[in-house]
Amino acid sequence: TPKLTADEARERATSELFARVPSITKGDVREGAAPELVVFAEPGREARLAWHHVTRAMSQDTAAVLDVTVDALTGEVLEAFDDLETIKVKGTGVLGDEKEFEATQNGTTFTMVDGTRPAQIRTFTADTQQTLPGTPVTSQMQNSWDNVQRGKGAAVDAHFYAAFVYDYYKSKFGRNGIDGNNAAMVSTVHFGNAYDNAFWDGTQMAYGDGGTAFRALSTGIDVVAHEFTHGVTTSTSKLVYQGQPGALNEAISDILSTYIEHAYKP
C-alpha cells in the first residue's frame, strides 16, 4: 500500500525535472498519463513499491522529457533519466537540397530540437518579426519543414549547419560548443522583413531571409560558422566590436568559417 498518492508522486517527479532543467517553469509542463504504481526491481537492490511517471515540458527555449521512478513509501527518487526522444527527419534547404537532421517528437508534432549532442541545438522562427528567439520550428510531418513564402527551407539549413559546426569545433579543437560548456545553440530564422543580414546578439544566432543583396542568410554554411565563431570569441577573448579588436573579431570569424566551409565541401 503506497503512502504517497499519485498526485504527490507526480509533484515529486515534476520537482525533479525543475531541478535538472532550471529553465523549465510550471507553465511549460505538459499533462501526460497518470503515474503508475509498479514494483521497482534491479540487480543487487531490494524490490520496492514505487510510482513511475514520465513528465514532459516544452518552452520557447527547450524541450524536456524525464522518466522518474519514486519510492511509494518514502518519496525518494529511485531512478530518473532523460527520455527526450529524437528522430531523424528530412527537409529541403533553400537551394532545394535535401538534408537529414535530428528533431524531437512530441505526440504527432515534430520540433527542431536536436538532443543527440551534449549541447542541445534549437531552431526558432521570428516569422518576419524582429523578436528573439521567436517560436520553435515545428512540423506535423517528418519530411516537410519550413514551408513559408519567403526563405523557404532557411530553418532546415540553419539547424543542419549548426550541428555540423558544433561537430567541427568538437572534433578539431575538443571544444564543447559556443561557451565551452555545452550551452544550447539557439538559432532564429526569418528574422525581420527581407532582412539582408545575419548576426550574433551575444546569446544566439539570427538570420534574415535576404532582400536585395542576399538569399536567406542561413543558406551559407560559412555564414552559420561565422556567427557561431562570434559566440566563441564572446566567451573567450571577448574582443570588443570596435577598432582593431573589432577587426580581429571579424577576421577570426571569417578565417574559421572558411575552414569549416572547406571541411563541409572542399
Side-chain angles (χ1 to χ4, degrees):
T1 302
K3 290 185 179 179
L4 264 70
T5 66
D7 286 342
E8 289 171 333
R10 186 197 302 272
E11 289 178 8
R12 184 69 188 87
T14 305
S15 295
E16 187 70 18
L17 176 67
F18 292 152
R20 293 178 180 233
V21 189
S23 61
I24 292 294
T25 66
K26 286 186 177 180
D28 300 325
V29 177
R30 301 291 188 261
E31 284 295 327
E36 178 187 13
L37 197 61
V38 299
V39 174
F40 181 77
E42 60 180 358
R45 294 178 65 178
E46 183 180 354
R48 297 161 85 168
L49 185 67
W51 288 106
H52 174 250
H53 183 57
V54 178
T55 181
R56 295 176 169 83
M58 174 69 76
S59 72
Q60 283 198 338
D61 296 324
T62 191
V65 178
L66 194 67
D67 189 301
V68 185
T69 303
V70 178
D71 190 301
L73 302 180
T74 68
E76 176 191 356
V77 174
L78 301 175
E79 182 180 72
F81 59 90
D82 183 358
D83 198 30
L84 185 68
E85 297 182 11
T86 58
I87 182 172
K88 282 193 177 295
V89 299
K90 292 180 180 179
T92 303
V94 173
L95 300 181
D97 56 326
E98 188 176 73
K99 292 180 168 73
E100 187 175 68
F101 54 91
E102 296 285 345
T104 298
Q105 183 173 1
N106 291 290
T108 59
T109 301
F110 303 92
T111 306
M112 276 193 180
V113 174
D114 179 350
T116 62
R117 292 166 175 79
Q120 202 175 76
I121 297 171
R122 311 169 189 158
T123 303
F124 297 77
T125 175
D127 288 324
T128 72
Q129 303 300 305
Q130 294 189 359
T131 56
L132 293 176
T135 57
V137 178
T138 62
S139 176
Q140 299 302 311
M141 301 175 64
Q142 288 180 254
N143 301 325
S144 179
W145 292 86
D146 201 29
N147 294 311
V148 295
Q149 188 171 3
R150 187 179 185 88
K152 179 180 178 180
V156 172
D157 289 336
H159 195 70
F160 178 86
Y161 288 143
F164 184 90
V165 174
Y166 175 90
D167 291 344
Y168 179 90
Y169 266 91
K170 183 65 176 176
S171 63
K172 293 292 184 182
F173 306 116
R175 185 166 183 83
N176 296 318
I178 290 175
D179 68 342
N181 291 309
N182 286 317
M185 291 176 60
V186 179
S187 303
T188 298
V189 296
H190 309 307
F191 180 86
N193 185 14
Y195 183 63
D196 248 337
N197 213 339
F199 60 87
W200 164 260
D201 78 340
T203 60
Q204 70 155 91
M205 297 161 283
Y207 306 96
D209 287 325
T212 58
F214 301 109
R215 289 189 173 106
L217 275 295
S218 62
T219 303
I221 188 172
D222 56 331
V223 178
V224 175
H226 180 107
E227 303 308 338
F228 183 109
T229 304
H230 276 313
V232 174
T233 299
T234 295
S235 65
T236 53
S237 58
K238 298 181 175 63
L239 291 166
V240 296
Y241 206 67
Q242 61 180 357
Q244 291 181 354
L248 285 170
N249 192 326
E250 274 299 307
I252 290 168
S253 279
D254 284 342
I255 292 165
L256 266 296
S257 67
T258 300
Y259 283 136
I260 294 168
E261 184 180 40
H262 181 76
Y264 180 69
K265 187 177 182 180

